[in-house]
């Protein structure tokens, strides 16, 4: 589809420009996410709670504000970046034969070995895409070449670019994308140069650049490029669909559930700074005249239209009360002679700080709980001593959904890159066949070792079935010793081959008295480490043996030890 400047003009208008449906919704959501994920000052959020606060206090709040909600958001991003470290994340190159592509220019080599700047598209996905995906559901990904004016014997070098909501003017899937280029550009305005706007438009066949040429918002078409891909090389960054129409799907981010709690956290943190000054640091009060020096205490000043409220003291006749400075009490306000000494310190209630600190941590905990990542939070004071918990199934569902979206981004970027590079020599079906295969992982290592250990401890204390405890311990061992397979194998073998694993000494004694376990079982249990070490030494193919074959070897060792000491049970531990 070709465009004319008149067709794009409604989007370029200086007055009430046309924008896509849900544009304002995306902008508002993007701003809220940026307050926390990007650490921006939430001015509107904080001032909305204290609309009557003096300007000096508002400025003070902004000056001392620290983005405390950024830390948990960063933890979420870091945790999700582990998706590509999952043991079942594998990228398999296409097995198809495409002889028309020059050696070293195939899709897999370009996307996973020679990808511009990042070397692999996977690294771009974790370093760039993931953050924008979490903060801006209305963003658009456009895939276009870095070398648009390439030489005849060159291949295009496509690169994804994420256009955030504030710059998106229009997006119609598979049809039209218009956006502000956010570029440094100047046009002649008489004898001076004035900063102007650059806007791009993209269709399934053409790409256009428009440049502002006057203060009244007129533009010119700088150039048009016919890519002839017969497909729009742009797609929605996407996430959770909350509304669907024929023209547009309205999305929310997968972490949007965190925002209400994070907003409250930001508000309460700002209030806590004020409370810290007011309730912890010493405040002196003195007796002295403190009338406003503009209105002389009357609260009114003269003007050409008659008396008006004094702007210096807001019509109060006294200087505005500032809780962060010493308090001055006017002598005229006293009925009696000021006391001696003429100054003293106010007794403060420090308990409020403890309360607010607890509330602040609870808000962080609630925010992370919204995406089943509460194990990343510092425990609120009310929960001290309680092991960090998480719902493994719900967490996996959340991470799986993110992994699906990430793989969709990689595949779409690869497909559109293939259209740019090979669309003139291969069909769309052939380019789809070139795509490397990425299976969505089902095993994730998001949870830290300490949280897994806490989970095992809770299972033991709750007297969960020993089989489940053993399975959890095996997973923990494999994670803990992932860099040392030999140790991991020995620990795993111990838990898999110990017939009494998960049972305490008291339980073993009771079971022995009831005759429900054998002397061989007891011997293996108390000598398991020594037996496995011997088995590994004596059997070079130990790791290749089945569980049954390994257990048979341990039974032989136990019977050998029991026969050497008839009438007694060897309980030597190693």
């Amino acid at each position: 589809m070709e465009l004319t400047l008149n067709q794009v003009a409604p989007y370029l208008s200086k007055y009430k420009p046309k924008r896509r449906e849900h544009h304002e919704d995306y902008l508002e959501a993007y701003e809220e996410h940026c307050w926390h994920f990007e650490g921006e000052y939430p001015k509107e959020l904080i001032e909305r709670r204290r609309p009557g606060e003096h300007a000096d206090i508002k400025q003070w709040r902004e000056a001392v504000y620290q983005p405390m909600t950024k830390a948990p958001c960063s933890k979420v991003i870091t945790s999700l970046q582990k998706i590509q470290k999952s043991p079942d994340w594998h990228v398999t190159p296409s097995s198809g034969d495409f002889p028309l592509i020059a050696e070293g220019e195939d899709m897999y080599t370009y996307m996973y070995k020679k990808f511009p700047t990042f070397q692999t598209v996977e690294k771009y996905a974790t370093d760039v895409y993931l953050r924008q995906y979490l903060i801006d559901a209305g963003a658009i990904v456009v895939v276009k070449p870095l070398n648009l004016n390439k030489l005849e014997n060159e291949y295009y070098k496509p690169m994804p670019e994420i256009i955030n909501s504030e710059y998106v003017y229009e997006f119609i899937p598979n049809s039209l994308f218009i956006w502000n280029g956010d570029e440094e550009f100047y046009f002649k305005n008489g004898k001076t140069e004035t900063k102007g706007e650059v806007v791009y438009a993209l269709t399934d066949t053409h790409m256009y650049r428009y440049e502002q040429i006057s203060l009244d918002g007129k533009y010119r078409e700088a150039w048009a490029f016919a890519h002839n891909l017969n497909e729009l090389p742009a797609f929605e960054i996407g996430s959770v669909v909350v509304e669907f129409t024929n023209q547009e799907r309205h999305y929310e981010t997968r972490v949007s559930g965190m925002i209400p709690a994070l907003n409250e956290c930001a508000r309460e943190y700002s209030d806590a700074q004020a409370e810290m000054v007011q309730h912890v640091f010493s405040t002196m009060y003195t007796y002295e005249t403190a009338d406003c020096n503009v209105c002389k205490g009357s609260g009114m000043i003269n003007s050409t239209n008659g008396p008006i409220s004094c702007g210096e003291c807001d019509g109060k006749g006294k200087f505005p009360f500032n809780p962060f400075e010493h308090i001055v009490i006017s002598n005229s306000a006293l009925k009696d002679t000021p006391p001696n000494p003429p100054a003293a310190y106010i007794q403060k209630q420090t308990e409020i700080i403890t309360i607010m600190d607890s509330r602040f941590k609870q808000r962080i905990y609630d925010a992370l709980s919204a995406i089943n990542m509460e194990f990343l939070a510092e425990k609120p004071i009310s929960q001290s001593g309680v092991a960090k918990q998480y719902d493994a199934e719900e967490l996996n569902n959340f991470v799986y959904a993110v992994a699906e979206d990430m793989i969709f981004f990689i595949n779409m970027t690869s497909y559109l890159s293939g259209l740019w590079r090979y669309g003139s020599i291969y069909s769309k079906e052939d380019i789809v066949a070139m795509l490397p295969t990425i299976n969505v992982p089902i095993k994730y290592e998001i949870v830290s070792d300490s949280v897994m250990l806490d989970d095992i401890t809770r299972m033991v204390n709750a007297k969960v079935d020993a089989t489940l405890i053993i399975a959890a311990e095996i997973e923990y061992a494999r994670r803990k010793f992932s860099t040392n397979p030999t140790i991991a194998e020995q620990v795993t073998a111990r838990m898999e081959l110990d017939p009494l694993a998960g049972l305490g000494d008291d339980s073993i004694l009771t079971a022995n008295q009831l005759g429900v376990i054998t002397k061989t079982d007891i011997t293996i249990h108390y000598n398991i480490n020594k037996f496995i070490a011997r088995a590994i030494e004596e059997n070079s193919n130990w790791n290749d043996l089945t569980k049954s074959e390994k257990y048979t070897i341990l039974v032989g060792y136990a019977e050998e030890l029991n026969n050497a000491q008839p009438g007694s049970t060897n309980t030597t531990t190693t």
Side-chain angles (χ1 to χ4, degrees):
M1 179 178 71
E2 294 188 49
L3 293 176
T4 65
L5 184 56
N6 286 337
Q7 289 175 299
V8 182
Y11 300 96
L12 308 179
S13 173
K14 190 174 181 180
Y15 306 99
K16 295 184 179 179
K18 184 179 179 180
R19 293 293 181 265
R20 64 173 170 170
E21 191 177 2
H22 303 299
H23 179 71
E24 294 300 324
D25 295 331
Y26 282 134
L27 286 184
E28 182 179 351
Y30 178 48
E31 181 182 31
E32 283 194 306
H33 284 66
C34 284
W35 289 339
H36 310 297
F37 281 84
E38 301 295 325
E40 298 179 3
Y41 178 64
K43 184 175 182 179
E44 179 185 353
L45 180 72
I46 291 176
E47 292 186 358
R48 197 182 300 149
R49 171 170 284 189
R50 309 279 185 175
E53 205 164 46
H54 192 270
D56 289 345
I57 307 304
K58 292 179 180 179
Q59 291 175 5
W60 178 87
R61 284 179 181 269
E62 185 170 358
V64 302
Y65 183 82
Q66 294 295 320
M68 301 300 289
T69 55
K70 186 177 180 180
C73 294
S74 296
K75 287 182 179 181
V76 171
I77 294 175
T78 301
S79 295
L80 292 175
Q81 285 176 331
K82 297 178 182 178
I83 287 175
Q84 291 185 22
K85 295 182 179 179
S86 301
D88 50 348
W89 174 283
H90 299 292
V91 179
T92 306
S94 169
S95 58
D97 184 24
F98 305 98
L100 298 180
I101 300 176
E103 185 177 356
E105 296 289 353
D106 60 279
M107 180 181 290
Y108 181 80
T109 299
Y110 179 75
M111 300 302 296
Y112 291 90
K113 295 181 180 180
K114 296 181 179 180
F115 197 67
T117 306
F118 295 86
Q119 189 173 355
T120 72
V121 67
E122 292 173 295
K123 185 167 178 56
Y124 182 95
T126 54
D127 290 359
V128 179
Y129 164 81
L130 182 60
R131 174 180 288 274
Q132 298 305 314
Y133 160 82
L134 292 177
I135 67 176
D136 191 1
I140 303 296
V141 182
V142 57
V143 180
K144 54 189 178 65
L146 299 175
N147 57 337
L148 198 60
N149 299 315
K150 71 177 184 65
L151 299 176
E152 185 67 27
N153 61 346
E154 281 186 314
Y155 283 85
Y156 281 120
K157 296 180 180 178
M159 183 81 175
E161 181 182 355
I162 298 175
I163 311 299
N164 288 114
S165 294
E166 59 184 311
Y167 300 114
V168 177
Y169 289 175
E170 181 63 278
F171 182 80
I172 301 175
N174 303 317
S175 179
L176 177 64
F177 178 32
I178 303 174
W179 74 98
N180 188 309
D182 188 31
E183 297 179 11
E184 194 81 8
F185 173 77
Y186 294 87
F187 63 89
K188 286 287 187 180
N189 178 30
K191 294 183 179 181
T192 63
E193 288 193 338
T194 302
K195 187 174 175 131
E197 302 287 343
V198 174
V199 174
Y200 290 94
L202 189 63
T203 71
D204 58 346
T205 58
H206 287 74
M207 181 175 177
Y208 301 86
R209 176 186 169 100
Y210 303 100
E211 298 173 346
Q212 185 179 350
I213 57 174
S214 68
L215 291 175
D216 60 357
K218 290 183 179 179
Y219 284 75
R220 70 180 179 92
E221 182 183 295
W223 52 256
F225 177 80
H227 59 71
N228 294 322
L229 300 181
N230 295 315
E231 189 157 339
L232 184 71
F235 57 95
E236 297 157 308
I237 201 168
S239 200
V240 180
V241 178
V242 294
E243 186 178 347
F244 180 80
T245 65
N246 291 332
Q247 287 289 319
E248 182 173 334
R249 287 161 290 195
H250 183 202
Y251 294 95
E252 285 183 348
T253 69
R254 292 202 182 275
V255 295
S256 59
M258 298 177 65
I259 301 302
L262 291 176
N263 284 348
E264 282 301 303
C265 181
R267 286 194 185 108
E268 292 183 1
Y269 167 74
S270 183
D271 288 340
Q273 299 309 297
E275 292 294 338
M276 179 70 72
V277 173
Q278 295 181 74
H279 292 283
V280 174
F281 301 122
S282 299
T283 298
M284 177 184 289
Y285 66 90
T286 63
Y287 299 88
E288 188 176 319
T289 301
D291 289 342
C292 174
N293 57 12
V294 174
C295 66
K296 307 303 180 183
S298 67
M300 305 295 291
I301 59 174
N302 293 322
S303 72
T304 56
N305 297 322
I308 60 173
S309 178
C310 176
E312 182 70 17
C313 64
D314 292 335
K316 298 176 182 178
K318 309 293 180 184
F319 282 117
F321 171 66
N322 188 335
F324 312 120
E325 295 180 356
H326 297 318
I327 300 172
V328 180
I329 301 175
S330 172
N331 289 326
S332 62
L334 300 171
K335 295 181 179 180
D336 301 320
T337 304
N340 188 21
Y345 285 94
I346 297 175
Q347 183 69 33
K348 303 201 173 185
Q349 298 177 347
T350 58
E351 294 83 2
I352 187 66
I353 301 303
T354 301
I355 295 172
M356 296 198 74
D357 184 63
S358 178
R359 285 174 60 85
F360 172 74
K361 292 178 180 177
Q362 184 63 50
R363 299 301 186 199
I364 296 292
Y365 186 88
D366 293 342
L368 291 168
S369 296
I371 57 172
N372 301 294
M373 284 191 170
E374 56 266 45
F375 59 87
L376 294 174
E378 181 180 350
K379 293 186 292 291
I381 294 175
S382 60
Q383 298 184 17
S384 60
V386 179
K388 292 187 177 183
Q389 300 183 25
Y390 69 102
D391 187 322
E393 183 175 356
E394 289 299 321
L395 175 61
N396 271 356
N397 289 340
F398 169 70
V399 178
Y400 185 90
V402 175
E404 276 191 317
D405 291 340
M406 186 179 293
I407 291 173
F408 171 79
F409 164 79
I410 292 174
N411 284 336
M412 277 299 296
T413 300
S414 300
Y415 169 69
L416 293 175
S417 296
L419 285 181
W420 280 104
R421 289 171 63 82
Y422 320 116
S424 62
I425 56 176
Y426 282 106
S427 67
K428 291 183 179 181
E429 291 74 16
D430 288 331
I431 292 172
V432 170
M434 295 179 193
L435 295 176
T437 301
I438 309 176
N439 295 322
V440 182
I442 58 175
K443 297 178 181 179
Y444 302 101
E445 298 183 350
I446 303 296
V447 180
S448 67
D449 292 348
S450 61
V451 174
M452 290 185 67
L453 191 58
D454 283 344
D455 200 38
I456 293 172
T457 301
R458 287 190 299 108
M459 293 172 68
V460 172
N461 292 338
K463 297 183 179 179
V464 175
D465 185 82
T467 304
L468 297 178
I469 296 174
I470 292 171
E473 288 178 337
I474 290 173
E475 182 181 357
Y476 174 77
R478 286 173 176 164
R479 280 275 304 275
K480 186 69 175 177
F481 303 105
S482 59
T483 58
N484 194 328
T486 301
I487 295 179
E489 176 62 29
Q490 291 183 24
V491 174
T492 301
R494 173 187 172 182
M495 288 182 282
E496 289 180 336
L497 299 175
D498 186 351
L500 306 180
L503 297 180
D505 290 343
D506 291 341
S507 298
I508 292 174
L509 178 61
T510 301
N512 186 37
Q513 292 173 343
L514 294 174
V516 295
I517 57 176
T518 66
K519 184 176 181 180
T520 298
D521 290 339
I522 296 174
T523 302
I524 292 175
H525 173 75
Y526 285 108
N527 294 274
I528 187 71
N529 287 343
K530 183 172 66 176
F531 285 175
I532 289 177
R534 176 183 171 186
I536 292 175
E537 184 178 350
E538 294 180 354
N539 298 271
S540 58
N541 63 335
W542 170 259
N543 291 337
D544 298 326
L545 299 178
T546 65
K547 181 179 177 181
S548 176
E549 291 171 333
K550 292 177 180 179
Y551 185 69
T552 299
I553 293 174
L554 299 192
V555 168
Y557 293 159
E559 291 177 350
E560 177 185 319
L561 184 59
N562 290 337
N563 291 335
Q565 300 178 5
S568 65
T569 300
N570 188 301
T571 58
T572 303
T573 59
T574 58

